[in-house]
Amino acid sequence: AFLSQGSFISLIQSVPNYWLAIKLGIRLQKYKKKNPFYSILDCFLDTVKKQPNKTFLHFEGTSHSYIEVDKQSNKVARALKTHANLKEGDTVALFMGNEPSYAWIWLGLAKLGCATALLNFNIRSKSLLHCFSCCGAKVIIAAAGKDSTMFISFNECSVEGINPLSEHITQASDTPLSADLRANITSKSPALYIYTSGTTGLPKAALVTQERVWTASFIQAVSGVTSEDVFYINLPLYHSAGFLIGLAGAIERGITVVLRRKFSASQFWEDCRKHHVTVMQYIGETMRYLCNTPMKDNEKDHKVRIAIGNGVRSDIWREFLNRFGDVAVRELYAATEGNIGFINYTSKIGVVGRVNFLHRRIFPYTLIKFDIEKEEPVRNSKGLCIQAMKGEAGLLVGKITKRSPFVGYAGNDQQTEKKRLRDVLQKGDLYFNTGDLLRIDEQNFVQFQDRVGDTFRWKGENVATTEVADILTMVDCIEEANVYGVKVEGHEGRIGMAAVKVEEGKEFDGASTFSQVASYLPAYARPRFIRIQTSFEMTGTFKMKKVTLVEEGFNPAVVQDPLYFLDPAKKTYVPLTEEIYSSINTREIKL
């Protein structure tokens, strides 16, 4: 999740290679001053001229050169201009998985001057409608099947509004389009909308400007990627990591991308060897999955030299290096909408970066004391926040300035305002609340500690607890639900669990509860554990307390309330026995 201009510059300021930082900074300023603005699309078009026949995308046995992708994007742009009446300034929602057409549809939209909203293709129902409407999208483009796409125009809002895109693309000309179609695009124009979980239970559309796309694309350069590298993307393209750092970064570097529909631990190193991959992306879970694969004699037989990502545990980090060789792990910290970020340029295990005086002076940030129980910053008698001590976990906040702005969320002023924190170190100042707890040790290394609030992370995805609770309370037998994430031994992040209050006179119905969550929630967001309670403990502001619930977890020896476990094979929630609990801990039962 990434990056504002401020968070990018704070990243590069953390890197000892200041000549590179200066070079990239100067380049960005030149791009901004050009009239018209020089965008990542223009970079792609220049690369097409320089190396038209170089492979841009490898995917499932097929290869697409830069010139082929360019021509295909021309066809997409012409088809959409003619049949969807798209023009500069429109927004189009993209509801697809990883495939080559994701790239050329986005590029085609960019050629028309359109912004693209990257929808998580796992979402359904209310969340899908919300994500489409909050960004003001005119059209949604979705995958209808393998190697085929369609576009749906909600202007007509009828069956006739659903139209196949593939045949229009096939019939369209692949000749270049006039740059006049996007003549008014500037560095501040919307380029993308990328969705993050919201405490309202519905995703928030983080606005990513043209400038922000550029700055995020520089992460590869900062990490040491060159034009000769081959980059492996198996993370979802609707995520900032896969799209901005991966795809946009590859365009900035002019390199080849090996694209996969989804991560596969068993095929990972085979893909790397086959395609001579030199740079990989990861999240903590993917590192763990790789380390859980059976050991082989040829594990260090590959060309991967750099790994870029976030969220890996120290023990998994060590095991990964021991098993798979000397790979430079570039662990990052940033947020899609945030204005502060770090990168671990030292390869020191377990940290996301290091405090740098210049970085902190130009882009002020601090860690402040945070009350986990009340879920709010601790303030002194003057109403100001209290800075955390060295070695103490604190809430990371970044000062909002011209250099490090917080643009906010599309169509959601309320949630935008909630991320602004006022009167932090002095009256009248304004900071961005990251919602994350970090720690700075005695050697000034920065370590990520935990997330706070109503969001937890599982399987590399953010889960909004209130959205899950809303779905659960639609079940006939459930009156109230309190959703939270709990730790599972040997797993990254937190898995979903819910304490529920059953309607008076009714019994918990495991089958109907399973049916509800399976119908309306993606797999990663479904609560795997249910705890039945007769009443909920509330805070002074009438919020459901979660701290004790999180601490007690799902151990039937600790929890006296009835516990249930989601059994996908039986399609129901079954009583959580000591035997099931033991099998989860020994990983006989996979989560």
Side-chain angles (χ1 to χ4, degrees):
F2 302 12
L3 279 167
S4 69
Q5 178 188 8
S7 57
F8 164 72
I9 297 178
S10 68
L11 283 172
I12 62 174
Q13 293 288 1
S14 301
V15 181
N17 190 349
Y18 291 112
W19 287 114
L20 174 60
I22 292 170
K23 181 179 178 181
L24 293 174
I26 292 173
R27 188 193 305 174
L28 181 58
Q29 291 305 312
K30 286 183 178 179
Y31 295 162
K32 290 170 64 177
K33 291 178 181 178
K34 281 192 175 185
N35 188 16
F37 171 70
Y38 186 82
S39 68
I40 196 75
L41 168 62
D42 295 307
C43 178
F44 171 79
L45 295 174
D46 282 346
T47 304
V48 171
K49 294 176 183 176
K50 294 174 185 174
Q51 47 187 38
N53 298 317
K54 181 174 181 176
T55 298
F56 180 27
L57 298 170
H58 278 301
F59 181 78
E60 296 184 351
T62 62
S63 297
H64 303 274
S65 67
Y66 273 86
I67 187 65
E68 288 172 353
V69 173
D70 179 44
K71 288 182 177 181
Q72 197 68 13
S73 68
N74 289 338
K75 293 166 76 71
V76 168
R78 291 186 180 279
L80 288 173
K81 182 176 182 293
T82 301
H83 298 283
N85 196 30
L86 292 179
K87 61 185 182 303
E88 184 182 66
D90 287 338
T91 298
V92 175
L94 200 52
F95 188 63
M96 299 171 59
N98 287 14
E99 55 183 88
S101 60
Y102 205 107
W104 57 65
I105 290 174
W106 160 61
L107 289 165
L109 289 169
K111 289 178 178 181
L112 295 176
C114 296
T116 306
L118 310 183
L119 304 191
N120 180 336
F121 65 85
N122 293 297
I123 60 175
R124 299 290 185 270
S125 187
K126 184 180 178 182
S127 288
L128 176 56
L129 182 59
H130 165 78
C131 289
F132 175 79
S133 60
C134 73
C135 64
K138 182 178 178 181
V139 166
I140 183 170
I141 299 176
K146 187 174 182 182
D147 299 323
S148 63
T149 58
M150 66 178 184
F151 77 89
I152 306 171
S153 172
F154 277 78
N155 284 345
E156 301 174 18
C157 198
S158 66
V159 175
E160 286 71 32
I162 301 177
N163 300 286
L165 179 59
S166 299
E167 64 179 78
H168 295 314
I169 294 175
T170 301
Q171 296 169 4
S173 168
D174 64 4
T175 56
L177 288 85
S178 171
D180 292 341
L181 292 171
R182 56 183 188 277
N184 298 311
I185 296 298
T186 70
S187 62
K188 302 301 181 185
S189 297
L192 303 166
Y193 294 93
I194 298 179
Y195 294 81
T196 64
S197 294
T199 55
T200 60
L202 294 171
K204 298 175 293 186
L207 170 60
V208 180
T209 63
Q210 296 284 344
E211 177 182 18
R212 218 170 202 189
V213 175
W214 258 127
T215 56
S217 75
F218 288 149
I219 296 300
Q220 287 197 29
V222 169
S223 300
V225 179
T226 73
S227 60
E228 302 303 313
D229 280 306
V230 176
F231 199 98
Y232 189 30
I233 299 178
N234 50 50
L235 301 180
L237 288 174
Y238 60 77
H239 273 180
S240 297
F243 193 95
L244 292 175
I245 295 180
L247 190 61
I251 290 174
E252 191 279 328
R253 296 279 83 189
I255 61 177
T256 297
V257 169
V258 177
L259 181 66
R260 190 176 178 90
R261 288 190 189 273
K262 61 181 181 179
F263 173 79
S264 170
S266 61
Q267 296 297 312
F268 184 90
W269 293 113
E270 183 72 23
D271 283 348
C272 289
R273 295 185 189 97
K274 180 179 179 181
H275 298 292
H276 308 291
V277 170
T278 57
V279 185
M280 60 173 278
Q281 278 188 294
Y282 70 88
I283 54 174
E285 279 293 292
T286 58
M287 284 276 206
R288 184 176 67 82
Y289 291 149
L290 290 174
C291 290
N292 284 345
T293 57
M295 297 188 71
K296 296 181 179 179
D297 293 335
N298 65 338
E299 289 187 334
K300 296 183 180 180
D301 179 19
H302 60 80
K303 296 182 178 180
V304 176
R305 63 187 191 87
I306 298 173
I308 305 173
N310 67 286
V312 61
R313 291 201 325 250
S314 296
D315 57 334
I316 299 297
W317 191 333
R318 290 190 185 91
E319 185 178 354
F320 178 84
L321 295 178
N322 287 335
R323 281 189 59 175
F324 304 112
D326 186 19
V327 178
V329 177
R330 297 294 181 239
E331 175 83 353
L332 299 171
Y333 170 83
T336 304
E337 71 276 42
N339 66 346
I340 185 67
F342 301 95
I343 183 170
N344 182 359
Y345 57 85
T346 67
S347 293
K348 179 179 172 66
I349 292 175
V351 304
V352 298
R354 196 172 193 178
V355 175
N356 176 281
F357 172 77
L358 184 59
H359 159 211
R360 200 167 191 175
R361 181 69 179 267
I362 300 176
F363 304 100
Y365 66 89
T366 189
L367 302 184
I368 57 176
K369 292 179 181 289
F370 188 81
D371 189 319
I372 298 293
E373 184 72 29
K374 294 180 179 179
E375 294 188 351
E376 63 183 29
V378 177
R379 294 183 181 269
N380 60 23
S381 59
K382 296 180 180 179
L384 299 176
C385 297
I386 303 171
Q387 290 181 288
M389 304 290 289
K390 275 283 184 71
E392 178 184 16
L395 177 70
L396 175 65
V397 293
K399 193 169 186 179
I400 298 174
T401 67
K402 288 184 178 180
R403 287 196 188 100
S404 52
F406 167 52
V407 181
Y409 309 108
N412 200 330
D413 292 340
Q414 183 180 11
Q415 289 300 315
T416 297
E417 184 58 33
K418 279 187 176 182
K419 296 298 285 186
R420 295 185 176 124
L421 193 60
R422 303 175 190 278
D423 301 334
V424 176
L425 299 183
Q426 61 186 37
K427 291 293 182 180
D429 62 14
L430 185 62
Y431 280 72
F432 171 75
N433 180 353
T434 66
D436 292 321
L437 297 176
L438 279 73
R439 186 174 75 93
I440 299 174
D441 67 17
E442 295 297 329
Q443 295 179 304
N444 282 331
F445 284 107
V446 183
Q447 300 170 332
F448 177 82
Q449 297 292 293
D450 208 351
R451 305 181 70 86
V452 299
D454 292 320
T455 302
F456 62 89
R457 194 168 181 85
W458 178 248
K459 301 289 185 182
E461 300 281 356
N462 291 338
V463 180
T465 58
T466 47
E467 180 183 9
V468 179
D470 286 345
I471 297 299
L472 284 172
T473 52
M474 292 170 65
V475 180
D476 185 57
C477 65
I478 296 177
E479 180 181 342
E480 291 183 274
N482 187 6
V483 180
Y484 47 97
V486 294
K487 289 281 190 181
V488 183
E489 184 67 26
H491 290 71
E492 298 285 344
R494 297 176 183 271
I495 196 170
M497 184 168 180
V500 303
K501 184 180 176 182
V502 177
E503 292 273 5
E504 188 174 351
K506 296 182 179 180
E507 293 184 353
F508 176 69
D509 186 339
S512 63
T513 304
F514 174 88
S515 176
Q516 178 73 9
V517 300
S519 298
Y520 293 100
L521 292 171
Y524 61 80
R526 298 167 193 166
R528 296 304 297 268
F529 306 101
I530 297 285
R531 176 176 179 169
I532 309 298
Q533 291 192 302
T534 55
S535 62
F536 291 153
E537 189 178 5
M538 310 295 285
T539 69
T541 53
F542 304 102
K543 292 181 180 179
M544 297 176 184
K545 288 192 174 183
K546 303 183 182 186
V547 174
T548 302
L549 295 173
V550 171
E551 290 175 349
E552 292 179 348
F554 57 94
N555 186 347
V558 174
V559 179
Q560 301 304 308
D561 298 321
L563 293 172
Y564 289 84
F565 172 67
L566 187 154
D567 190 326
K570 296 181 179 179
K571 296 185 177 181
T572 188
Y573 282 87
V574 299
L576 177 57
T577 62
E578 288 281 357
E579 181 180 356
I580 292 176
Y581 178 76
S582 177
S583 296
I584 291 171
N585 284 334
T586 58
R587 302 186 190 179
E588 293 176 32
I589 293 178
K590 294 183 178 180
L591 299 176

